[in-house]
């Protein structure tokens, strides 16, 4: 297998978040992102776990400085193709140890927005959005 390349999307090269318990966080993101068709691409480097569709763009790991992860005020949004995918993201994330931070539904601040919010096991806020 060739060395993974961070894919980015023209704006971001990648997103990296910290995990206090890597195993719990990987299980959460396997479930929640799996509902969006985003795959666990496996381990890399020194305990990193890579996620993406074809190439890695989202990475979780224990913080490199050994301190507890902290992301208060940060939200990472994952694109969904349909409201059903948003619903599946939320349900799978809850079932895998996440906590509700906003039930699936229409969001009045953006026309046509349908979204759901979760906190992962490390306390990171993540969401999924689609526009209908």
């Amino acid at each position: 297998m060739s060395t993974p390349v961070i894919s980015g999307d023209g704006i971001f090269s990648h997103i990296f978040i910290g995990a206090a318990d890597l195993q719990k966080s990987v299980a959460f993101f396997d479930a929640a992102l799996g509902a969006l068709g985003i795959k666990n691409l496996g381990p890399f480097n020194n305990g990193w776990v890579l996620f993406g569709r074809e190439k890695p763009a989202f990475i979780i790991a224990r913080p490199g400085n050994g301190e507890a992860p902290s992301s208060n005020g940060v939200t990472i949004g994952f694109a969904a193709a349909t409201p059903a995918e948003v619903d599946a993201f939320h349900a799978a994330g809850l079932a895998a140890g996440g906590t509700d931070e906003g039930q699936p539904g229409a969001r009045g601040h953006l026309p046509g927005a349908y979204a759901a919010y979760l906190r992962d096991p490390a306390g990171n806020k993540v969401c999924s959005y689609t526009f209908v």
Side-chain angles (χ1 to χ4, degrees):
M1 183 174 177
S2 64
T3 301
V5 176
I6 293 171
S7 61
D9 64 1
I11 296 175
F12 301 105
S13 63
H14 66 287
I15 295 172
F16 184 110
I17 63 169
D21 182 326
L22 191 59
Q23 186 175 8
K24 281 184 182 177
S25 290
V26 168
F28 170 84
F29 284 109
D30 280 346
L33 297 185
L36 302 175
I38 299 169
K39 301 176 284 241
N40 179 330
L41 300 174
F44 177 73
N45 201 8
N46 193 16
W48 298 7
V49 179
L50 310 174
F51 288 83
R53 294 195 194 287
E54 301 301 321
K55 295 187 279 184
F58 180 66
I59 305 162
I60 60 174
R62 288 180 204 74
N65 65 5
E67 295 180 17
S70 173
S71 64
N72 189 32
V74 174
T75 302
I76 300 168
F78 294 96
T82 65
E85 277 194 359
V86 172
D87 294 347
F89 162 87
H90 191 262
L94 288 176
T99 55
D100 177 52
E101 202 54 39
Q103 290 286 312
R107 296 299 190 261
H109 60 279
L110 292 170
Y114 185 93
Y117 288 80
L118 294 164
R119 291 272 179 182
D120 76 1
N124 298 296
K125 188 191 282 187
V126 295
C127 66
S128 181
Y129 265 77
T130 192
F131 292 87
V132 293

